Amino acid sequence: MKIESLKFEGVSFTHDGQDPIVQNVDFDFPMNEILWVKAEEGAGKSSLLQILAGLQIPQSGKYLINGENVVEMSFEEFLPYRLEIGYSFDYGGLINNRSLHDNLMLPLLYHKVVSPEEAKLRVDAMFKEFGVEKFAHERPAHVPGRVRKLACLMRSLVMRPQMLLLDDPSVGLGQDSIYSFVDHIHRFRKDGYFKHIFVSSYDEKFMNHFDYQIIHLDEGQLYYQAVDPEKRVVHL
Amino acid sequence: MTSLLAQIDSLGRFVTKNVEYTIRVLLMVYLSLRATVLDKAQGFRQIVGVISAQIYFTGWQALPLISVLALGVGAVMILQSLSNLSLLGGTQMIGNFLIVMILREAGPLMVALVVIARSGTAVASEVGNMRANREIEALESMGINPMSFIVFPRVVGGIISVLALAFYFNLIALIGGFLVTRFMQDMPMAFYTDSLMKAVAKEDALIFLLKNGFSGMIIFVVSCYQGLSVKRSPHEVPQVTTQAVVNSIIFVVVFNLIVSALFYLNQLRSLGVV
């Protein structure tokens, strides 16, 4: 299922007893871009990404993918879109009773995206590319935090989805891992994967590896800021 | 007057809260069944894998504890019933007495309590920790429905385990209990088994399946529900685990009581007493 448009129509979302994350928002998300989601601490960047991933359902309004309202969809109806969305958590999210290798294999084998042999080749290659192959058969609790974070990122990439939602992807990663990750993204974008990327981050250094546009989340509203890569001041 | 109104008010709240809880738990049963039927991706092998793991942890690993309990309960019941029935001159009623006490009443309750203590707590804390560690969200983000991947196989594995454990409990309590007490009583084995066989009726099979099957379902559905009710923080896990134990015991005891009451009402009706 090709993702061609993402749109909010009057979307409101609030966690129980807290200020609204988004309030009556109408927003047409730019497509085929790397979008840097910026906001104050605790303003709800993660929640916004979770809404986009279909993990949180807005209390009111419509979240439209290709004109279809996700809010009214069942788990099964949303599944074709979900398989085209990779989501990486800011912390946690790995299945603890499986090895890192099995964590990456799980979506591939469960949805029979590729044959088991091909899935193994793909996952082994990713571990090698990111330089963490010696931890592949360990469980999440037995590996350093950096490797856990990296495995969570790798799992969001392994299905080669059209849309990537990355929640604080650079936190806890070493410089080498960041270079491998950025290189992987650029390489696969050239091949037509990871077309629409949403990154929630405070790390300007990390974001400067990409040609990004900005979405500001401020007081429950979304604002788009176009960034001309030619005129952008890069702080390294 | 105010105090009476306050009491009525608190009773109303209690009833509403429990009815709502029961509806939510039943809704989860429906959702897990629906998700399993509609989940095209989840293969039969995957479900069987989780079910067999659940049977191993809940059924197989509980066998030593169940054996000790069954032998103890069986031996005590046989000795007590023999000493009292001998006084009344009704030794031939031993079979009827033991079938009623062990197969219909004590067996289902004892097995349910053991499974709640061992596996209900394990499932509630496992699912609760998965929730706190965002594994449930991760499954959803990978397009894997937690209702069919987590809940359904655990409930099915739990039902099979409880049925098997209850059968084993009855067998060990009735036969093992008799063998253990042999040196204290001189009843011939043939007389004992004959009395048991005469006492067993086809309704006993129905009661066995109803009580143990539903106990298994109640324990694992309630435990999964409580585990999934964790919002975010690991500190909620022990709280939901305790709640899973309390709610499972209440539901199982009430259900057993209702089945027994209906069965005996039906017996009285067939005798023309009511």
Side-chain angles (χ1 to χ4, degrees):
Chain A
M1 189 77 76
K2 209 169 168 194
I3 297 175
E4 282 163 345
S5 70
L6 297 170
K7 201 172 175 183
F8 279 179
E9 279 183 10
V11 167
S12 298
F13 179 80
T14 313
H15 285 297
D16 286 345
Q18 292 180 12
D19 290 337
I21 305 290
V22 280
Q23 198 167 27
N24 200 20
V25 168
D26 292 312
F27 196 79
D28 214 337
F29 289 91
M31 304 308 286
N32 300 306
E33 297 285 355
I34 296 175
L35 294 165
W36 182 6
V37 181
K38 289 176 98 171
E40 296 274 306
E41 193 91 53
K45 297 187 299 297
S46 300
S47 300
L48 176 64
L49 293 190
Q50 289 188 349
I51 294 171
L52 288 168
L55 296 173
Q56 299 275 11
I57 305 297
Q59 278 98 9
S60 62
K62 291 179 180 174
Y63 165 31
L64 304 163
I65 297 187
N66 297 351
E68 288 188 86
N69 190 4
V70 172
V71 177
E72 289 169 357
M73 284 185 194
S74 66
F75 189 93
E76 292 76 24
E77 286 167 335
F78 186 56
L79 188 62
Y81 293 113
R82 209 184 291 269
L83 297 182
E84 290 298 339
I85 301 173
Y87 186 91
S88 164
F89 292 84
D90 49 351
Y91 71 92
L94 289 173
I95 311 297
N96 275 323
N97 63 3
R98 290 170 186 256
S99 67
L100 300 184
H101 191 271
D102 289 349
N103 262 278
L104 265 70
M105 292 285 277
L106 180 63
L108 293 171
L109 296 182
Y110 192 90
H111 297 290
K112 301 175 185 78
V113 178
V114 290
S115 69
E117 296 76 27
E118 206 176 320
K120 190 178 176 309
L121 282 176
R122 188 189 286 192
V123 170
D124 286 346
M126 276 189 94
F127 274 103
K128 205 164 178 197
E129 182 186 345
F130 286 89
V132 285
E133 63 268 43
K134 73 170 178 177
F135 299 108
H137 297 284
E138 300 285 349
R139 289 187 179 185
H142 301 146
V143 300
R146 176 186 72 85
V147 180
R148 270 202 297 275
K149 179 78 186 185
L150 198 53
C152 196
L153 280 172
M154 284 155 66
R155 196 180 59 192
S156 68
L157 308 173
V158 76
M159 295 274 280
R160 296 178 185 166
Q162 292 172 47
M163 183 166 146
L164 263 184
L165 300 161
L166 307 172
D167 197 354
D168 269 332
S170 61
V171 172
L173 288 187
Q175 207 55 43
D176 288 351
S177 304
I178 287 179
Y179 287 143
S180 306
F181 179 70
V182 170
D183 179 57
H184 187 93
I185 297 277
H186 285 316
R187 219 155 22 88
F188 278 82
R189 260 174 84 80
K190 274 185 200 149
D191 293 341
Y193 304 105
F194 315 145
K195 279 192 212 159
H196 328 292
I197 302 181
F198 294 75
V199 187
S200 139
S201 178
Y202 291 108
D203 188 347
E204 196 177 346
K205 250 173 146 181
F206 171 74
M207 289 309 298
N208 281 334
H209 292 291
F210 303 105
D211 289 337
Y212 58 79
Q213 307 294 308
I214 297 174
I215 291 176
H216 291 276
L217 171 60
D218 189 21
E219 293 186 347
Q221 294 300 311
L222 294 176
Y223 305 97
Y224 174 66
Q225 180 190 341
V227 178
D228 183 348
E230 300 297 320
K231 295 177 184 165
R232 201 175 73 194
V233 180
V234 176
H235 304 280
L236 287 172
Chain B
M1 188 64 183
T2 320
S3 144
L4 180 68
L5 282 176
Q7 279 177 12
I8 294 171
D9 184 48
S10 81
L11 179 71
R13 271 177 215 277
F14 176 77
V15 172
T16 319
K17 202 176 127 193
N18 281 292
V19 169
E20 193 189 324
Y21 182 85
T22 312
I23 291 170
R24 279 171 186 271
V25 168
L26 289 174
L27 187 65
M28 202 183 72
V29 177
Y30 165 71
L31 288 176
S32 69
L33 266 173
R34 182 182 177 277
T36 309
V37 172
L38 294 180
D39 194 342
K40 305 264 190 305
Q42 189 171 23
F44 182 68
R45 270 181 68 180
Q46 206 135 22
I47 295 184
V48 169
V50 185
I51 289 176
S52 43
Q54 194 60 50
I55 291 172
Y56 174 75
F57 292 124
T58 305
W60 181 255
Q61 290 194 335
L63 283 181
L65 179 56
I66 288 286
S67 306
V68 174
L69 261 179
L71 277 177
V73 170
V76 167
M77 293 253 182
I78 289 168
L79 284 178
Q80 288 288 359
S81 53
L82 264 182
S83 62
N84 285 292
L85 289 172
S86 306
L87 286 175
L88 298 167
T91 319
Q92 68 274 22
M93 292 295 288
I94 181 96
N96 298 62
F97 188 79
L98 289 177
I99 291 295
V100 169
M101 289 308 293
I102 293 178
L103 200 136
R104 288 185 197 165
E105 305 301 340
L109 266 182
M110 296 296 264
V111 169
L113 289 177
V114 168
V115 172
I116 289 168
R118 283 191 77 260
S119 307
T121 49
V123 167
S125 58
E126 182 199 11
V127 177
N129 276 317
M130 286 182 83
R131 186 89 185 163
N133 189 41
R134 307 172 84 178
E135 292 173 56
I136 302 289
E137 273 174 287
L139 287 173
E140 278 186 53
S141 76
M142 288 186 270
I144 299 172
N145 195 332
M147 289 292 160
S148 57
F149 191 73
I150 302 283
V151 178
F152 181 79
R154 277 166 181 74
V155 173
V156 172
I159 293 172
I160 295 170
S161 303
V162 171
L163 283 170
L165 282 178
F167 182 79
Y168 179 76
F169 180 93
N170 291 329
L171 194 74
I172 297 293
L174 292 173
I175 305 300
F178 180 80
L179 295 175
V180 167
T181 56
R182 275 230 78 170
F183 63 96
M184 284 188 260
Q185 40 90 0
D186 52 3
M187 184 183 283
M189 181 78 175
F191 174 82
Y192 175 75
T193 48
D194 189 49
S195 172
L196 280 180
M197 295 314 286
K198 276 183 189 157
V200 178
K202 62 175 185 292
E203 293 85 31
D204 290 316
L206 183 67
I207 290 182
F208 175 87
L209 288 173
L210 256 181
K211 280 192 170 179
N212 295 301
F214 273 89
S215 288
M217 193 177 87
I218 288 166
I219 294 164
F220 286 88
V221 169
V222 166
S223 301
C224 287
Y225 178 83
Q226 289 299 144
L228 287 172
S229 71
V230 168
K231 297 275 187 291
R232 294 213 112 162
S233 172
H235 87 273
E236 297 168 52
V237 176
Q239 294 167 5
V240 300
T241 307
T242 311
Q243 204 56 47
V245 171
V246 172
N247 290 352
S248 298
I249 291 176
I250 292 171
F251 274 83
V252 165
V253 169
V254 169
F255 182 77
N256 275 260
L257 192 67
I258 290 170
V259 172
S260 292
L262 287 176
F263 176 74
Y264 290 110
L265 269 177
N266 188 46
Q267 263 198 337
L268 291 178
R269 201 173 57 87
S270 64
L271 291 171
V273 180
V274 287

